[in-house]
Amino acid sequence: DAGVIQSPRHEVTEMGQEVTLRCKPISGHNSLFWYRQTMMRGLELLIYFNNNVPIDDSGMPEDRFSAKMPNASFSTLKIQPSEPRDSAVYFCASSLILGRAEAFFGQGTRLTVV
Amino acid sequence: DQQVKQNSPSLSVQEGRISILNCDYTNSMFDYFLWYKKYPAEGPTFLISISSIKDKNEDGRFTVFLNKSAKHLSLHIVPSQPGDSAVYFCAALRGSYDKVIFGPGTSLSVIP
């Protein structure tokens, strides 16, 4: 398996634009997580899904952020409109089940909003 | 309010010596803990875990110690190698199906 695949690897966009980050989890994994890494806050959990259903989105910072998982092999994280403070590395991870199972992370998307 | 804390942002250790990375947590309901390692431009990878029913778990050069009364855990790397230079994240969760909460990370540099 190729692991968790995220695209794009890098994204530079202007403030106010819509940004869509994409993730393909490992086949057979039932849980998917979106994290954001910043210097100040480390790795923050934004939202996670189990069997394609959003379970907890309490980490999503604002209504400008939304995430979907239309099927077991694809998820998106959208920011609309984007702001400079959204600049960070966004990671997608998947695991076989929720909880104690090891999570496998993608390589991340480095987002820069100018 | 951070529930998982790693108070040392960085640590430098000589090759061959012991590296000790510390982690404190505030939520007494946490009962499972994990360590992840992250190299630059890569995602974190799982390293080792420990359940609250244990106070020690060992895997090769890596040992995690858990002190529940102090709400403290530590990761020991012996002997440290230059390839261990990375950011180490401590993580915790409650129960079997809860979300994992990560600490801010500690950057370890192992000097040859």
Side-chain angles (χ1 to χ4, degrees):
Chain A
D1 198 316
V4 175
I5 300 173
Q6 290 185 247
S7 64
R9 289 294 308 277
H10 302 274
E11 176 81 36
V12 180
T13 190
E14 289 186 350
M15 183 174 64
Q17 296 297 307
E18 177 180 298
V19 175
T20 300
L21 311 182
R22 296 173 175 78
C23 175
K24 176 176 167 36
I26 292 173
S27 176
H29 281 193
N30 292 321
S31 301
L32 182 139
F33 311 84
W34 281 101
Y35 288 90
R36 177 171 70 175
Q37 184 187 15
T38 61
M39 289 294 292
M40 294 298 294
R41 301 175 70 90
L43 267 175
E44 297 176 89
L45 178 62
L46 301 177
I47 184 171
Y48 66 99
F49 297 81
N50 194 47
N51 294 323
N52 312 339
V53 176
I55 302 300
D56 185 344
D57 66 353
S58 59
M60 298 284 257
E62 299 170 37
D63 290 345
R64 298 183 295 107
F65 286 70
S66 62
K68 293 181 180 179
M69 192 165 186
N71 57 62
S73 58
F74 185 64
S75 177
T76 59
L77 177 68
K78 185 179 293 187
I79 308 172
Q80 164 64 19
S82 57
E83 296 182 4
R85 60 194 167 119
D86 301 331
S87 298
V89 181
Y90 291 80
F91 288 103
C92 174
S94 70
S95 64
L96 273 173
I97 57 172
L98 272 180
R100 302 185 175 196
E102 173 187 350
F104 293 80
F105 283 76
Q107 290 186 295
T109 295
R110 180 173 293 278
L111 173 65
T112 303
V113 183
V114 297
Chain B
D1 179 31
Q2 276 194 336
Q3 298 185 65
V4 179
K5 302 177 184 182
Q6 294 177 259
N7 293 322
S8 298
S10 62
L11 175 69
S12 288
V13 172
Q14 227 31 58
E15 181 180 4
R17 306 292 288 268
I18 184 172
S19 294
I20 301 176
L21 296 101
N22 293 306
C23 176
D24 297 288
Y25 59 96
T26 58
N27 190 339
S28 58
M29 300 296 289
F30 286 146
D31 61 0
Y32 195 75
F33 305 89
L34 311 95
W35 286 92
Y36 281 78
K37 180 168 76 172
K38 182 186 179 303
Y39 292 117
E42 295 184 10
T45 55
F46 171 76
L47 190 56
I48 193 169
S49 62
I50 187 167
S51 166
S52 62
I53 62 173
K54 294 185 174 182
D55 54 19
K56 176 182 173 181
N57 189 25
E58 193 171 350
D59 183 1
R61 297 186 297 113
F62 302 90
T63 303
V64 56
F65 295 91
L66 176 61
N67 182 334
K68 289 186 291 292
S69 61
K71 296 193 186 71
H72 176 84
L73 63 156
S74 60
L75 175 68
H76 293 213
I77 307 173
V78 182
S80 301
Q81 299 174 353
D84 297 329
S85 298
V87 176
Y88 289 80
F89 291 97
C90 172
L93 74 156
R94 175 188 62 188
S96 296
Y97 302 107
D98 201 2
K99 59 188 177 186
V100 177
I101 306 296
F102 281 83
T106 296
S107 179
L108 172 67
S109 295
V110 179
I111 304 162

PDB file of all heavy atoms in Angstrom, chain B residues 56-73:
ATOM      1  N   LYS B  56       5.797   0.397  32.434  1.00  0.00           N
ATOM      2  CA  LYS B  56       6.966   0.381  31.561  1.00  0.00           C
ATOM      3  C   LYS B  56       6.664  -0.468  30.331  1.00  0.00           C
ATOM      4  O   LYS B  56       6.007  -1.508  30.416  1.00  0.00           O
ATOM      5  CB  LYS B  56       8.156  -0.209  32.323  1.00  0.00           C
ATOM      6  CG  LYS B  56       9.428  -0.383  31.524  1.00  0.00           C
ATOM      7  CD  LYS B  56      10.504  -1.032  32.399  1.00  0.00           C
ATOM      8  CE  LYS B  56      11.741  -1.386  31.606  1.00  0.00           C
ATOM      9  NZ  LYS B  56      12.767  -2.045  32.442  1.00  0.00           N
ATOM     10  N   ASN B  57       7.155   0.021  29.186  1.00  0.00           N
ATOM     11  CA  ASN B  57       7.082  -0.780  27.970  1.00  0.00           C
ATOM     12  C   ASN B  57       8.363  -0.548  27.185  1.00  0.00           C
ATOM     13  O   ASN B  57       8.808   0.595  27.026  1.00  0.00           O
ATOM     14  CB  ASN B  57       5.855  -0.406  27.132  1.00  0.00           C
ATOM     15  CG  ASN B  57       5.633  -1.370  25.980  1.00  0.00           C
ATOM     16  OD1 ASN B  57       6.054  -2.520  26.043  1.00  0.00           O
ATOM     17  ND2 ASN B  57       4.981  -0.915  24.933  1.00  0.00           N
ATOM     18  N   GLU B  58       8.935  -1.638  26.703  1.00  0.00           N
ATOM     19  CA  GLU B  58      10.240  -1.558  26.069  1.00  0.00           C
ATOM     20  C   GLU B  58      10.168  -2.120  24.653  1.00  0.00           C
ATOM     21  O   GLU B  58       9.532  -3.141  24.401  1.00  0.00           O
ATOM     22  CB  GLU B  58      11.233  -2.359  26.914  1.00  0.00           C
ATOM     23  CG  GLU B  58      12.684  -2.143  26.602  1.00  0.00           C
ATOM     24  CD  GLU B  58      13.566  -2.820  27.647  1.00  0.00           C
ATOM     25  OE1 GLU B  58      13.039  -3.265  28.684  1.00  0.00           O
ATOM     26  OE2 GLU B  58      14.777  -2.915  27.420  1.00  0.00           O
ATOM     27  N   ASP B  59      10.868  -1.466  23.734  1.00  0.00           N
ATOM     28  CA  ASP B  59      10.955  -1.954  22.362  1.00  0.00           C
ATOM     29  C   ASP B  59      12.326  -1.572  21.821  1.00  0.00           C
ATOM     30  O   ASP B  59      12.551  -0.436  21.377  1.00  0.00           O
ATOM     31  CB  ASP B  59       9.855  -1.339  21.496  1.00  0.00           C
ATOM     32  CG  ASP B  59       9.862  -1.891  20.073  1.00  0.00           C
ATOM     33  OD1 ASP B  59      10.701  -2.764  19.756  1.00  0.00           O
ATOM     34  OD2 ASP B  59       9.027  -1.450  19.264  1.00  0.00           O
ATOM     35  N   GLY B  60      13.264  -2.517  21.930  1.00  0.00           N
ATOM     36  CA  GLY B  60      14.610  -2.245  21.456  1.00  0.00           C
ATOM     37  C   GLY B  60      15.264  -1.137  22.255  1.00  0.00           C
ATOM     38  O   GLY B  60      15.347  -1.202  23.481  1.00  0.00           O
ATOM     39  N   ARG B  61      15.714  -0.116  21.571  1.00  0.00           N
ATOM     40  CA  ARG B  61      16.390   1.000  22.256  1.00  0.00           C
ATOM     41  C   ARG B  61      15.414   1.963  22.934  1.00  0.00           C
ATOM     42  O   ARG B  61      15.846   2.902  23.618  1.00  0.00           O
ATOM     43  CB  ARG B  61      17.240   1.772  21.235  1.00  0.00           C
ATOM     44  CG  ARG B  61      18.362   0.973  20.604  1.00  0.00           C
ATOM     45  CD  ARG B  61      19.244   1.837  19.710  1.00  0.00           C
ATOM     46  NE  ARG B  61      18.511   2.391  18.581  1.00  0.00           N
ATOM     47  CZ  ARG B  61      18.257   3.688  18.417  1.00  0.00           C
ATOM     48  NH1 ARG B  61      18.645   4.577  19.310  1.00  0.00           N
ATOM     49  NH2 ARG B  61      17.598   4.106  17.345  1.00  0.00           N
ATOM     50  N   PHE B  62      14.139   1.758  22.721  1.00  0.00           N
ATOM     51  CA  PHE B  62      13.121   2.695  23.208  1.00  0.00           C
ATOM     52  C   PHE B  62      12.343   2.098  24.381  1.00  0.00           C
ATOM     53  O   PHE B  62      11.858   0.970  24.303  1.00  0.00           O
ATOM     54  CB  PHE B  62      12.146   3.056  22.080  1.00  0.00           C
ATOM     55  CG  PHE B  62      12.810   3.663  20.883  1.00  0.00           C
ATOM     56  CD1 PHE B  62      13.275   2.869  19.846  1.00  0.00           C
ATOM     57  CD2 PHE B  62      12.993   5.028  20.805  1.00  0.00           C
ATOM     58  CE1 PHE B  62      13.906   3.434  18.738  1.00  0.00           C
ATOM     59  CE2 PHE B  62      13.617   5.602  19.702  1.00  0.00           C
ATOM     60  CZ  PHE B  62      14.082   4.799  18.676  1.00  0.00           C
ATOM     61  N   THR B  63      12.246   2.868  25.456  1.00  0.00           N
ATOM     62  CA  THR B  63      11.482   2.458  26.632  1.00  0.00           C
ATOM     63  C   THR B  63      10.609   3.622  27.066  1.00  0.00           C
ATOM     64  O   THR B  63      11.089   4.755  27.158  1.00  0.00           O
ATOM     65  CB  THR B  63      12.402   2.054  27.794  1.00  0.00           C
ATOM     66  OG1 THR B  63      13.276   1.015  27.367  1.00  0.00           O
ATOM     67  CG2 THR B  63      11.584   1.562  28.986  1.00  0.00           C
ATOM     68  N   VAL B  64       9.351   3.344  27.328  1.00  0.00           N
ATOM     69  CA  VAL B  64       8.466   4.375  27.856  1.00  0.00           C
ATOM     70  C   VAL B  64       8.113   4.003  29.293  1.00  0.00           C
ATOM     71  O   VAL B  64       7.802   2.844  29.588  1.00  0.00           O
ATOM     72  CB  VAL B  64       7.205   4.564  26.975  1.00  0.00           C
ATOM     73  CG1 VAL B  64       6.438   3.266  26.799  1.00  0.00           C
ATOM     74  CG2 VAL B  64       6.303   5.636  27.544  1.00  0.00           C
ATOM     75  N   PHE B  65       8.208   4.989  30.166  1.00  0.00           N
ATOM     76  CA  PHE B  65       7.866   4.831  31.573  1.00  0.00           C
ATOM     77  C   PHE B  65       6.640   5.681  31.876  1.00  0.00           C
ATOM     78  O   PHE B  65       6.536   6.826  31.416  1.00  0.00           O
ATOM     79  CB  PHE B  65       9.026   5.293  32.464  1.00  0.00           C
ATOM     80  CG  PHE B  65      10.264   4.461  32.333  1.00  0.00           C
ATOM     81  CD1 PHE B  65      11.252   4.795  31.418  1.00  0.00           C
ATOM     82  CD2 PHE B  65      10.450   3.329  33.129  1.00  0.00           C
ATOM     83  CE1 PHE B  65      12.401   4.029  31.287  1.00  0.00           C
ATOM     84  CE2 PHE B  65      11.597   2.563  33.009  1.00  0.00           C
ATOM     85  CZ  PHE B  65      12.571   2.911  32.087  1.00  0.00           C
ATOM     86  N   LEU B  66       5.732   5.121  32.673  1.00  0.00           N
ATOM     87  CA  LEU B  66       4.517   5.847  33.034  1.00  0.00           C
ATOM     88  C   LEU B  66       4.401   5.929  34.550  1.00  0.00           C
ATOM     89  O   LEU B  66       4.465   4.910  35.241  1.00  0.00           O
ATOM     90  CB  LEU B  66       3.286   5.143  32.465  1.00  0.00           C
ATOM     91  CG  LEU B  66       1.917   5.721  32.841  1.00  0.00           C
ATOM     92  CD1 LEU B  66       1.760   7.159  32.362  1.00  0.00           C
ATOM     93  CD2 LEU B  66       0.795   4.830  32.300  1.00  0.00           C
ATOM     94  N   ASN B  67       4.217   7.147  35.044  1.00  0.00           N
ATOM     95  CA  ASN B  67       3.985   7.382  36.469  1.00  0.00           C
ATOM     96  C   ASN B  67       2.601   8.009  36.594  1.00  0.00           C
ATOM     97  O   ASN B  67       2.432   9.223  36.426  1.00  0.00           O
ATOM     98  CB  ASN B  67       5.061   8.323  37.031  1.00  0.00           C
ATOM     99  CG  ASN B  67       4.902   8.570  38.521  1.00  0.00           C
ATOM    100  OD1 ASN B  67       3.801   8.466  39.071  1.00  0.00           O
ATOM    101  ND2 ASN B  67       5.989   8.891  39.180  1.00  0.00           N
ATOM    102  N   LYS B  68       1.613   7.169  36.877  1.00  0.00           N
ATOM    103  CA  LYS B  68       0.224   7.641  36.871  1.00  0.00           C
ATOM    104  C   LYS B  68      -0.036   8.649  37.989  1.00  0.00           C
ATOM    105  O   LYS B  68      -0.782   9.613  37.813  1.00  0.00           O
ATOM    106  CB  LYS B  68      -0.736   6.459  37.000  1.00  0.00           C
ATOM    107  CG  LYS B  68      -0.796   5.603  35.748  1.00  0.00           C
ATOM    108  CD  LYS B  68      -1.861   4.526  35.864  1.00  0.00           C
ATOM    109  CE  LYS B  68      -1.520   3.457  36.891  1.00  0.00           C
ATOM    110  NZ  LYS B  68      -0.361   2.649  36.449  1.00  0.00           N
ATOM    111  N   SER B  69       0.551   8.437  39.127  1.00  0.00           N
ATOM    112  CA  SER B  69       0.289   9.334  40.255  1.00  0.00           C
ATOM    113  C   SER B  69       0.791  10.737  39.957  1.00  0.00           C
ATOM    114  O   SER B  69       0.201  11.730  40.381  1.00  0.00           O
ATOM    115  CB  SER B  69       0.916   8.802  41.536  1.00  0.00           C
ATOM    116  OG  SER B  69       2.315   8.694  41.390  1.00  0.00           O
ATOM    117  N   ALA B  70       1.878  10.807  39.206  1.00  0.00           N
ATOM    118  CA  ALA B  70       2.429  12.118  38.839  1.00  0.00           C
ATOM    119  C   ALA B  70       1.887  12.609  37.503  1.00  0.00           C
ATOM    120  O   ALA B  70       2.224  13.724  37.087  1.00  0.00           O
ATOM    121  CB  ALA B  70       3.949  12.039  38.779  1.00  0.00           C
ATOM    122  N   LYS B  71       1.094  11.803  36.835  1.00  0.00           N
ATOM    123  CA  LYS B  71       0.591  12.122  35.492  1.00  0.00           C
ATOM    124  C   LYS B  71       1.762  12.495  34.587  1.00  0.00           C
ATOM    125  O   LYS B  71       1.773  13.553  33.920  1.00  0.00           O
ATOM    126  CB  LYS B  71      -0.450  13.247  35.532  1.00  0.00           C
ATOM    127  CG  LYS B  71      -1.725  12.913  36.287  1.00  0.00           C
ATOM    128  CD  LYS B  71      -2.797  13.961  35.988  1.00  0.00           C
ATOM    129  CE  LYS B  71      -4.023  13.755  36.820  1.00  0.00           C
ATOM    130  NZ  LYS B  71      -3.816  14.094  38.240  1.00  0.00           N
ATOM    131  N   HIS B  72       2.725  11.608  34.550  1.00  0.00           N
ATOM    132  CA  HIS B  72       3.963  11.882  33.830  1.00  0.00           C
ATOM    133  C   HIS B  72       4.430  10.631  33.113  1.00  0.00           C
ATOM    134  O   HIS B  72       4.330   9.514  33.655  1.00  0.00           O
ATOM    135  CB  HIS B  72       5.032  12.330  34.838  1.00  0.00           C
ATOM    136  CG  HIS B  72       6.383  12.547  34.216  1.00  0.00           C
ATOM    137  ND1 HIS B  72       6.737  13.719  33.597  1.00  0.00           N
ATOM    138  CD2 HIS B  72       7.455  11.731  34.112  1.00  0.00           C
ATOM    139  CE1 HIS B  72       7.969  13.621  33.134  1.00  0.00           C
ATOM    140  NE2 HIS B  72       8.439  12.426  33.443  1.00  0.00           N
ATOM    141  N   LEU B  73       4.894  10.826  31.892  1.00  0.00           N
ATOM    142  CA  LEU B  73       5.554   9.717  31.210  1.00  0.00           C
ATOM    143  C   LEU B  73       6.814  10.227  30.534  1.00  0.00           C
ATOM    144  O   LEU B  73       6.981  11.433  30.315  1.00  0.00           O
ATOM    145  CB  LEU B  73       4.629   9.013  30.211  1.00  0.00           C
ATOM    146  CG  LEU B  73       4.073   9.733  29.007  1.00  0.00           C
ATOM    147  CD1 LEU B  73       3.728   8.707  27.932  1.00  0.00           C
ATOM    148  CD2 LEU B  73       2.800  10.479  29.370  1.00  0.00           C
TER     149      LEU B  73
END
